[in-house]
């Protein structure tokens, strides 16, 4: 069953896609990696935190995508409007806000996007692996709990569309 937070997140990210536009420039990517779709962002969010918008920072991870400072920095340091990436709270202000956090995931994938499972394409499965294992460890298997939630989310979307 798809939860209400997931549906709200998909609506918010879809709106952001129209308002925010292409974010591949954030990481200075030399080659174009396919953007992370709204559905994929939603399932990464669902697997990471249950798309719990009330989450803030806990240890070294923050927000509904559970993003670290290094991930945010690698993503191009997206910020809230009018905020400098060098501001003291720029990281936490961004990754604790769904639109900015989604831009961070997009920027990270623009920098590290690759075919992690050698199936000849870069898609949501690769984005999920990159998100959880980083740009240099995405060939590792997904943690079981994350994989189950991610696969269930994608399956629910397919069923809802079909």
């Amino acid at each position: 069953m798809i939860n209400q937070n997931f549906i709200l997140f998909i609506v918010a990210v879809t709106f952001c896609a129209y308002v925010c536009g292409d974010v591949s420039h954030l990481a200075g990517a030399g080659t174009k990696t396919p953007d992370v779709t709204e559905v994929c962002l939603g399932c990464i969010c669902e697997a990471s935190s249950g798309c719990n918008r009330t989450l803030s920072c806990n240890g070294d991870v923050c927000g509904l995508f559970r993003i670290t400072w290094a991930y945010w920095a690698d993503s191009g340091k997206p910020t809230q409007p009018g905020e400098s990436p060098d501001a003291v709270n720029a990281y936490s202000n961004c990754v604790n806000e769904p639109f900015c956090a989604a831009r961070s995931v997009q920027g990270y994938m623009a920098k590290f996007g690759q075919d992690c499972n050698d199936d000849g394409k870069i898609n949501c499965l690769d984005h999920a692996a990159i998100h959880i294992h980083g740009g240099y460890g995405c060939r590792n298997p997904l943690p079981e709990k994350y994989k189950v939630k991610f696969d269930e989310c994608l399956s629910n979307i397919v069923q809802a569309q079909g």
Side-chain angles (χ1 to χ4, degrees):
M1 176 118 217
I2 300 172
N3 73 38
Q4 184 178 11
N5 285 333
F6 174 73
I7 293 167
L8 291 173
F9 180 76
I10 291 295
V11 169
V13 171
T14 301
F15 174 76
C16 182
Y18 293 109
V19 174
C20 305
D22 179 26
V23 295
S24 60
H25 66 281
L26 289 175
T31 59
K32 180 70 173 138
T33 297
D35 288 336
V36 184
T37 66
E38 289 84 8
V39 168
C40 188
L41 279 170
C43 288
I44 290 171
C45 174
E46 187 67 28
S48 297
S49 72
C51 275
N52 184 344
R53 294 175 57 127
T54 65
L55 292 176
S56 58
C57 295
N58 182 7
D60 64 347
V61 296
C62 295
L64 56 149
F65 285 103
R66 312 314 289 151
I67 293 173
T68 64
W69 186 93
Y71 184 113
W72 173 76
D74 282 340
S75 77
K77 295 185 178 180
T79 62
Q80 296 285 53
E83 187 169 39
S84 166
D86 298 321
V88 173
N89 294 324
Y91 156 67
S92 61
N93 288 345
C94 177
V95 298
N96 286 314
E97 194 281 320
F99 295 121
C100 196
R103 289 194 312 272
S104 186
V105 174
Q106 288 281 16
Y108 196 82
M109 297 309 152
K111 181 173 184 175
F112 291 108
Q114 59 191 290
D115 180 12
C116 300
N117 58 2
D118 293 323
D119 66 355
K121 56 191 173 228
I122 301 172
N123 59 24
C124 191
L125 297 174
D126 300 305
H127 296 312
I130 294 164
H131 182 74
I132 200 73
H133 287 305
Y136 301 108
C138 72
R139 294 186 185 283
N140 292 318
L142 294 175
E144 190 60 28
K145 184 177 177 182
Y146 181 90
K147 182 176 179 5
V148 166
K149 285 183 174 183
F150 181 78
D151 289 344
E152 182 179 287
C153 177
L154 286 179
S155 176
N156 285 336
I157 296 295
V158 170
Q159 288 176 3
Q161 291 175 343

